[in-house]
Amino acid sequence: MNLGDLGAEVIKVERPGAGDDTRAWGPPFAGTESVYFLSVNRNKKSIAINMKDSKGAKLIRELAAVSDVFVENYVPGKLAEIGLGYEDIQKIAPHIVYCSITGYGQTGPMVQRGGYDSIAAAVSGLMHITGHEDGEPVRAGVAMTDLATGLYTYGAIMAGLLQRYKTGKGLHIDCNLLSSQVACLTHVAANYLNCKIEGKRWGTAHGSIVPYQAFKTKDGYIVVGAGNDQQFVTVCKILNLPEVSKDSRYKTNTLRVENRKELIDILSTRFSEKATIEWLQLFEGSGVPYGPINNMQQVFSDPQACKKDGGCQAQGDHQEETDRSEIPESIWKCAAQWTCDENGSSNSWEDSCSRFPSVFWHWGFDSNIAKYTGGLLPGWYSLGYLMVALQPEP
């Protein structure tokens, strides 16, 4: 999606008859598509191709030959079995930046396992350090492991394109969920590797900074972070607790961490005395980082989150059909022979073509899809380089 934001033309390849699993991840649905699916498929065109069929694999190779980037998330070795592995694609497209996204990488004892965000979050230790201090492990509210892997992949692809620009040669990029999430453990991993300090759950708090957490107010929550001693003094001043800032037990961050429980009890009692809006007004202009815990309605009505140059609402309708002329002629002609004859009559699938003249670009995974068909996903662009992304069968 980010590459599409920069102008890439992204073509997603899905399996006929069902498509991406996330199309069914609902409710809620927007029309016939799950909102989850739409949320993670911005800027993508989509086609369905049976790659197990030799003609389907041939289509993928033709598409790869005119593309700059090839992204796949199959279990290692699966694409090579049908002639679509890196070595195969490299022969016909030596310029290609071929990126594999897997659960566990290309080597090691777990490479043949499928990967989902929650499982990788568990194996990587993220769940172990997420949740209330004395509570059960908790999954993050969104797929942070997936998102982090996508962002690492995005950067790797951009670096790959830069290298190709300099050398004229493509390369194979290996990104995976486990490595990406382990890399994101940052200081928690460093604490263990350097000091053998086991990670633990801190709720909204921080293991190495105090105060740095959410506090319950009279009607909600406020999050406050004092990253240095001066900010702590300011927090105490706003809370009208000058004696706390002068207490020798809390003079430095190290001392505040050592005396966390007593200090947090004092601060929590004071925060509970006023409403969130009152505290927000008192912290305004103080130089101390702070903010409320917002729900979705509050997020998308916040003037900072939704300032004019950013935008904060869904714009336009989800498009499901477009002209096939945007695809290289050899691709759509090869696909069309599996869908309609010259008069628009369907072959093996129910009247897809008569109902949808541009059937190659219609997406309707029930009776309205031909063998190699597809559809346009929201907000795509036809500028920049071409990228093909393969989505595996379960």
Side-chain angles (χ1 to χ4, degrees):
M1 294 190 296
N2 288 341
L3 291 168
D5 288 339
L6 296 183
E9 181 178 5
V10 183
I11 300 171
K12 179 173 181 173
V13 180
E14 303 181 48
R15 63 186 183 278
D20 188 330
D21 288 343
T22 62
R23 289 180 180 273
W25 286 8
F29 291 89
T32 59
E33 302 286 15
S34 76
V35 172
Y36 189 102
F37 171 80
L38 296 177
S39 76
V40 294
N41 283 282
R42 183 180 73 253
N43 296 331
K44 301 175 188 175
K45 298 176 181 178
S46 190
I47 56 176
I49 295 178
N50 178 9
M51 291 181 290
K52 293 180 179 179
D53 186 294
S54 60
K55 293 183 177 67
K58 181 174 181 289
L59 280 177
I60 297 298
R61 286 190 287 272
E62 290 184 10
L63 192 54
V66 296
S67 297
D68 295 288
V69 181
F70 186 105
V71 179
E72 58 90 8
N73 66 330
Y74 278 70
V75 170
K78 292 296 183 182
L79 284 184
E81 293 175 3
I82 57 175
L84 296 175
Y86 172 63
E87 289 76 13
D88 304 300
I89 300 300
Q90 184 188 35
K91 291 176 183 176
I92 60 173
H95 66 281
I96 203 79
V97 175
Y98 187 112
C99 182
S100 298
I101 305 175
T102 60
Y104 302 99
Q106 301 296 310
T107 60
M110 298 168 66
V111 293
Q112 293 302 307
R113 296 187 190 180
Y116 270 160
D117 172 89
S118 289
I119 291 81
V123 176
S124 68
L126 177 63
M127 281 193 185
H128 175 71
I129 60 173
T130 305
H132 291 295
E133 186 173 357
D134 299 317
E136 299 294 320
V138 172
R139 174 186 175 275
V142 294
M144 290 309 302
T145 302
D146 280 351
L147 293 170
T149 304
L151 289 171
Y152 276 122
T153 301
Y154 169 57
I157 288 173
M158 295 297 285
L161 289 169
L162 180 60
Q163 174 175 304
R164 193 195 67 184
Y165 175 76
K166 292 181 176 180
T167 67
K169 298 179 181 180
L171 71 160
H172 186 194
I173 295 170
D174 170 21
C175 291
N176 67 83
L177 299 179
L178 180 61
S179 295
S180 296
Q181 188 55 68
V182 170
C184 289
L185 294 177
T186 60
H187 70 281
V188 177
N191 289 348
Y192 177 77
L193 293 172
N194 289 280
C195 306
K196 299 303 180 212
I197 298 174
E198 180 57 75
K200 59 175 291 187
R201 292 181 284 281
W202 286 103
T204 65
H206 194 292
S208 299
I209 309 171
V210 176
Y212 193 102
Q213 66 181 76
F215 293 93
K216 187 170 179 57
T217 66
K218 189 178 284 188
D219 62 349
Y221 294 89
I222 184 172
V223 179
V224 174
N228 58 55
D229 296 337
Q230 183 54 53
Q231 287 180 345
F232 176 67
V233 171
T234 302
V235 169
C236 292
K237 182 178 180 181
I238 293 171
L239 270 59
N240 195 23
L241 294 170
E243 70 282 2
V244 174
S245 65
K246 297 174 183 177
D247 192 313
S248 60
R249 294 174 297 170
Y250 312 131
K251 280 289 186 180
T252 67
N253 181 69
T254 300
L255 291 170
R256 292 192 290 275
V257 170
E258 291 174 358
N259 296 286
R260 177 191 301 266
K261 186 179 185 308
E262 297 88 342
L263 176 58
I264 295 304
D265 285 347
I266 294 170
L267 301 182
S268 295
T269 298
R270 182 54 56 89
F271 273 112
S272 68
E273 295 173 0
K274 295 181 185 292
T276 301
I277 187 62
E278 295 179 84
W279 287 121
L280 295 178
Q281 292 169 349
L282 288 169
F283 273 92
E284 179 64 30
S286 66
V288 174
Y290 72 97
I293 295 182
N294 287 331
N295 60 27
M296 293 302 100
Q297 187 277 328
Q298 291 167 327
V299 170
F300 293 111
S301 60
D302 187 289
Q304 182 64 39
C306 296
K307 56 185 183 292
K308 290 181 180 180
D309 59 346
C312 236
Q313 71 273 352
Q315 296 182 357
D317 297 323
H318 167 49
Q319 296 171 276
E320 293 185 341
E321 198 170 343
T322 190
D323 193 304
R324 65 191 182 192
S325 63
E326 295 292 340
I327 285 294
E329 185 173 331
S330 61
I331 301 296
W332 67 255
K333 277 191 173 179
C334 189
Q337 69 181 340
W338 289 91
T339 60
C340 316
D341 61 23
E342 292 297 318
N343 297 317
S345 300
S346 62
N347 291 331
S348 59
W349 295 74
E350 298 180 43
D351 68 347
S352 301
C353 301
S354 59
R355 292 181 60 189
F356 302 105
S358 298
V359 65
F360 182 68
W361 284 115
H362 181 79
W363 192 273
F365 273 123
D366 41 51
S367 63
N368 301 324
I369 182 170
K371 188 169 183 180
Y372 295 147
T373 66
L376 178 66
L377 303 187
W380 61 273
Y381 301 88
S382 59
L383 304 174
Y385 52 86
L386 187 66
M387 167 179 164
V388 58
L390 302 189
Q391 192 263 342
E393 297 181 2

